[in-house]
Amino acid sequence: MINLLDFDSAAMHEFFADRGEKPFRARQTLRWIHHRLVDRVEAMTDLAKATRASLAREAEIRAPRVVRDSVAQDGTRKWLLDVGGANAIEAVYIPEDDRGTLCISSQAGCALDCAFCSTGKQGFNRNLSTGEIVGQLWHANRTLLADAVSAPWVEQGRHPITNVVMMGMGEPLANFDNVVAAMRIMLDDDGYGLSRRRVTLSTSGLVPWIDRLRDECPVALAVSLHAPNDALRDRLVPINRRHPLSALLGACLRYIEKAPRDFVTFEYVMLDGVNDSPAQARALVALVRDVPCKFNLIPFNPFPNTEFRTSPHGRILAFQRVLQDAGLVATIRKTRGEDIDAACGQLAGQVQDRTKRRLQRIRVASPT
Ligand code: SAH
Ligand code: SF4
């Protein structure tokens, strides 16, 4: 069965053209799905009855199934979503006074194995489809509206989610085609109509794909830097061995020419005694001298069996001060949703491991 959530505008137009339908049917369908958030073809009441009936025979609107829905004290909400084959992914809603942000996953697991990341530790399972990626946004908007979430922009008829960050599980640029198609739906006026500045993609630094993103879908860019030199970054972010810092910073400079913002955000996870000294902060200032950028310092979120510890708060402040004294904007990320493990780097689809173990037990127990 075709999943209509998989289609961006071009694919939807092609789908209807192949069936001899007029182009405006594609736009109508996109709007039903992504504006009105319907979950059934039958609900698209301004499509001709015959069109609806034939559409319903071959296509559906299929978002990932919710396995768990947790709400934190601070209003952060995390959905654990089943994507089949004992794989689960996570999407996190972060409410703020002036925006509603959704943190979206792009892969089940991740192959890049950064030393401090719990998603990386579980290994790579598979790429998410376009429908599974944009389905997280469709699901969040639908659920929050059904729960009558209150926000001034919702009262004005806008969707609860105003900003998307591709910072959940997975490396978005390693699933380029599906991620770009999903982001096109987010940006499309017949889709979610978000501006490019309100969609942020975070990458660990896949240089050739940063260039492709710049040419094909330049949204706001965040780059996971985490170290001021190649020797340390090689250890923390292994993809650095293939795309070292000089190449990465070159790609950032090229990106800024087309980016919706005139800076790149550098993410920097604060690891106690590893990358958090004032000398390393000074080396960082020198490293990024030529790149218009802002820093987001992320307190490390520990997980079981990790060798790392979070930098003490005073040390993070001292690090921040060195950057600020050099004229850089540097913020410290507020940890949200701690009581439901919804913070950055905590997303690992825990049900997956348990389901997998259960499946393994069943296999072991089976005589065949
Ligand atoms: N794969 C992409 C996007 C997902 S990770 C990337 O690496 O950029 C989103 C952010 O969380 C990245 O900056 C990542 O380095 C950071 N992160 C990963 N594990 C973390 C942890 N345990 N504590 C804090 N931040 C972490
Ligand atoms: Fe993958 Fe990003 Fe985690 Fe690195 S930090 S393992 S790239 S999800």
Side-chain angles (χ1 to χ4, degrees):
M1 200 72 157
I2 286 168
N3 185 5
L4 292 172
L5 285 173
D6 278 328
F7 292 163
D8 62 8
S9 176
M12 193 71 89
H13 277 85
E14 194 182 317
F15 174 82
F16 279 98
D18 286 350
R19 283 152 187 79
E21 295 275 359
K22 299 220 163 55
F24 75 88
R25 294 284 177 226
R27 297 191 59 199
Q28 265 177 317
T29 305
L30 284 165
R31 285 164 182 245
W32 274 111
I33 299 171
H34 301 292
H35 287 191
R36 312 272 295 262
L37 306 167
V38 301
D39 63 349
R40 291 171 312 119
V41 169
E42 291 78 6
M44 305 180 183
T45 46
D46 60 0
L47 292 187
K49 250 198 172 143
T51 312
R52 238 184 298 159
S54 67
L55 187 57
R57 270 195 299 277
E58 59 174 332
E60 62 184 352
I61 299 155
R62 193 173 64 241
R65 193 177 59 85
V66 178
V67 205
R68 200 192 299 146
D69 180 346
S70 349
V71 184
Q73 304 253 311
D74 64 7
T76 303
R77 184 165 177 178
K78 181 172 79 169
W79 291 284
L80 185 68
L81 303 164
D82 176 21
V83 289
N87 289 315
I89 53 147
E90 293 178 307
V92 177
Y93 164 61
I94 305 143
E96 287 173 281
D97 289 344
D98 60 343
R99 70 186 71 182
T101 303
L102 189 69
C103 177
I104 286 186
S105 294
S106 57
Q107 300 181 306
C110 183
L112 297 187
D113 199 23
C114 299
F116 49 83
C117 174
S118 63
T119 303
K121 293 295 148 215
Q122 78 174 48
F124 175 67
N125 295 300
R126 71 169 173 86
N127 281 331
L128 299 186
S129 65
T130 301
E132 286 168 338
I133 298 166
V134 81
Q136 297 169 59
L137 177 56
W138 178 88
H139 163 77
N141 275 324
R142 241 173 93 84
T143 309
L144 293 166
L145 282 175
D147 292 353
V149 69
S150 90
W153 56 92
V154 176
E155 269 137 51
Q156 291 158 15
R158 286 170 58 203
H159 284 157
I161 304 297
T162 60
N163 293 57
V164 168
V165 293
M166 302 294 306
M167 293 184 184
M169 297 169 66
E171 166 51 53
L173 293 185
N175 183 14
F176 189 85
D177 290 346
N178 294 346
V179 164
V180 165
M183 293 196 307
R184 286 205 172 112
I185 301 171
M186 297 173 198
L187 302 173
D188 193 339
D189 282 340
D190 293 327
Y192 295 86
L194 299 178
S195 83
R196 290 180 189 281
R197 308 161 65 92
R198 289 180 177 269
V199 177
T200 302
L201 182 143
S202 171
T203 179
S204 57
L206 298 185
V207 168
W209 300 99
I210 294 176
D211 285 325
R212 263 196 76 185
L213 188 70
R214 160 189 183 267
D215 295 334
E216 295 182 28
C217 192
V219 294
L221 184 69
V223 171
S224 297
L225 208 53
H226 304 324
N229 58 59
D230 281 319
L232 181 58
R233 196 164 190 272
D234 279 352
R235 193 154 73 77
L236 298 177
V237 185
I239 194 68
N240 193 68
R241 297 170 203 162
R242 200 172 331 149
H243 304 296
L245 282 167
S246 58
L248 179 57
L249 297 178
C252 292
L253 275 176
R254 291 192 292 278
Y255 197 87
I256 287 168
E257 294 165 13
K258 293 227 191 134
R261 296 177 181 276
D262 53 8
F263 60 89
V264 167
T265 301
F266 286 129
E267 294 158 285
Y268 196 97
V269 62
M270 301 300 299
L271 304 167
D272 186 21
V274 175
N275 66 353
D276 64 346
S277 73
Q280 285 164 318
R282 286 191 293 276
L284 201 55
V285 169
L287 178 75
V288 303
R289 200 179 39 220
D290 300 328
V291 185
C293 64
K294 291 187 181 176
F295 271 87
N296 199 353
L297 306 177
I298 315 175
F300 170 63
N301 286 305
F303 50 90
N305 301 323
T306 176
E307 64 192 276
F308 298 106
R309 285 181 316 259
T310 313
S311 305
H313 189 60
R315 209 160 159 88
I316 301 180
L317 288 176
F319 197 92
Q320 179 188 35
R321 206 165 313 121
V322 174
L323 301 184
Q324 288 175 338
D325 287 350
L328 291 165
V329 174
T331 50
I332 299 172
R333 183 169 299 170
K334 226 172 47 195
T335 300
R336 300 282 309 252
E338 259 177 313
D339 45 333
I340 56 164
D341 284 346
C344 233
Q346 290 290 288
L347 307 184
Q350 289 95 333
V351 154
Q352 178 185 34
D353 301 333
R354 228 176 294 145
T355 317
K356 268 201 175 148
R357 276 201 296 277
R358 200 160 60 226
L359 289 175
Q360 270 157 10
R361 269 204 304 277
I362 293 166
R363 253 179 245 132
V364 170
S366 140
T368 48

